[in-house]
Amino acid sequence: MSFQDNTTESTGPSTDSVVEPTAGVGGTETTPEADTIIESRDLNVYYNDAQALRDVSMEIPEKRVTALIGPSGCGKSTYLRCLNRMNDLIDAARVEGEVRFRGKNVYDDDVDPVALRRKIGMVFQEPNPFPKSIYDNVAYGLRVQGKDDDLDEKVETALRRAALWEEVKDQLDSSGLDLSGGQQQRLCIARAIAADPEVVLMDEPASALDPIATSKIEDLIDDLASEYTVVIVTHNMQQAARISDQTAVFLTGGELVEFDDTSKIFENPDDQRVEDYITGKFG
Ligand SMILES: Nc1ncnc2c1ncn2[C@@H]1O[C@H](COP(=O)(O)OP(=O)(O)OP(=O)(O)O)[C@@H](O)[C@H]1O
Ligand SMILES: [Mg+2]
């Protein structure tokens, strides 16, 4: 059940029905307030009869890093998967409420989930390159979409953006599986951004990596935020504090307890339960 497998499915005639950026967005001036790119409204998710998310409403700012934190089982991965409809692939999952991407509810009938996942890509906890060459891993999605003109250039650009190019430029024909874990994860990030998404979802992307590889991924995420919106789940509080602009704290029961600037969440949260969680009193 991976996004990559899913991209191989036929998309049918309706592509990109969700997804054209609003005219006028993307000006070069920097404003302190970011536009909202994704908004969930009263999102409830059930796995059979068990509720995993409860009335989660949240506005995710564009071209920022938003961290999702909270104890195991509180629904972070579930929330992330709602944003690009990965939960569609889980039979037991039922989603109520709305997720608006640039104002359009991604659960509307006319939204093609495959096209949506090109705009909102995903990187998983365990690096999962295809058993193909480094080059073919990055080129894969572009070929599937028939965007294979200037492929060499596009592959190089994606590998550069993923801070991997210098390490692999002389071995593009070697298997992606022969890279180190940290390199494999950057390869997966290159693969995700090669398709030119607007949002990159990351579910604990560094938790399987050593500290040096983790620090490279963190630097990379910081760089990516100049061009992409990043939503990242992490169990590592210091990581959330280091790399994110906004932090959402979920607590057991699938409730979003507090969502604010990361500095506010870590220095002076409104909710006592958030304070207790962050200072390690529970979770
Ligand atoms: N495929 C599934 N089928 C049934 N229940 C599920 C499924 N996936 C998640 N759940 C349940 O939904 C709740 C939220 O799970 P989720 O994986 O979203 O939590 P999480 O915050 O990501 O946890 P972790 O930090 O351990 O990854 C849990 O109670 C979990 O058991
Ligand atoms: Mg999870």
Side-chain angles (χ1 to χ4, degrees):
M1 75 120 242
S2 78
F3 165 49
Q4 288 79 12
D5 291 345
N6 200 57
T7 61
T8 62
E9 289 171 15
S10 163
T11 62
S14 90
T15 52
D16 293 29
S17 57
V18 213
V19 283
E20 286 316 311
T22 321
V25 171
T28 48
E29 79 279 15
T30 45
T31 45
E33 283 297 307
D35 290 328
T36 295
I37 187 164
I38 296 179
E39 178 182 8
S40 66
R41 293 185 188 168
D42 299 323
L43 197 65
N44 287 282
V45 179
Y46 305 82
Y47 294 103
N48 297 314
D49 294 332
Q51 189 161 6
L53 287 180
R54 237 165 258 276
D55 288 327
V56 177
S57 297
M58 173 153 103
E59 293 182 8
I60 296 173
E62 185 175 21
K63 295 189 181 172
R64 297 278 194 276
V65 179
T66 296
L68 312 181
I69 65 171
S72 186
C74 68
K76 304 177 297 292
S77 297
T78 298
Y79 185 78
L80 205 63
R81 288 195 300 258
C82 284
L83 303 184
N84 71 350
R85 290 186 51 175
M86 292 283 292
N87 284 328
D88 288 15
L89 309 174
I90 300 175
D91 284 341
R94 182 161 53 87
V95 177
E96 289 174 1
E98 291 183 352
V99 173
R100 293 193 168 267
F101 172 48
R102 296 197 177 284
K104 169 79 173 166
N105 185 8
V106 306
Y107 287 95
D108 282 351
D109 289 343
D110 62 346
V111 171
D112 172 3
V114 176
L116 176 70
R117 290 175 203 136
R118 276 191 210 120
K119 290 290 175 182
I120 307 180
M122 188 138 180
V123 174
F124 298 88
Q125 180 170 10
E126 293 290 334
N128 59 349
F130 301 137
K132 293 173 182 286
S133 71
I134 292 168
Y135 186 98
D136 287 344
N137 263 278
V138 182
Y140 180 83
L142 293 163
R143 286 183 172 136
V144 168
Q145 292 177 63
K147 293 185 178 168
D148 49 5
D149 54 310
D150 304 322
L151 205 50
D152 290 357
E153 197 186 317
K154 288 174 181 167
V155 167
E156 179 176 337
T157 301
L159 285 167
R160 282 189 188 280
R161 282 185 181 157
L164 187 58
W165 174 253
E166 292 301 330
E167 290 161 64
V168 302
K169 63 184 177 190
D170 298 324
Q171 53 174 110
L172 295 176
D173 293 332
S174 326
S175 171
L177 297 174
D178 291 341
L179 296 171
S180 73
Q183 289 173 326
Q184 288 189 19
Q185 194 60 304
R186 279 178 284 144
L187 179 61
C188 293
I189 292 170
R191 185 176 63 189
I193 61 183
D196 208 21
E198 294 186 60
V199 182
V200 183
L201 310 176
M202 300 187 178
D203 198 345
E204 303 188 50
S207 63
L209 306 178
D210 68 35
I212 291 173
T214 296
S215 136
K216 283 193 178 160
I217 297 282
E218 289 184 6
D219 290 347
L220 170 58
I221 289 168
D222 197 42
D223 287 347
L224 290 177
S226 62
E227 259 179 278
Y228 306 94
T229 302
V230 177
V231 187
I232 178 173
V233 172
T234 177
H235 268 117
N236 180 327
M237 306 278 188
Q238 288 80 15
Q239 183 171 73
R242 272 194 302 268
I243 66 175
S244 69
D245 301 293
Q246 311 271 317
T247 297
V249 187
F250 289 77
L251 290 178
T252 308
E255 192 192 343
L256 172 61
V257 179
E258 196 164 338
F259 177 50
D260 211 324
D261 290 346
T262 295
S263 53
K264 163 88 173 133
I265 294 285
F266 281 93
E267 287 160 21
N268 184 24
D270 288 335
D271 195 294
Q272 185 62 39
R273 293 170 296 170
V274 172
E275 169 112 35
D276 289 349
Y277 177 66
I278 282 170
T279 54
K281 290 206 182 110
F282 72 95

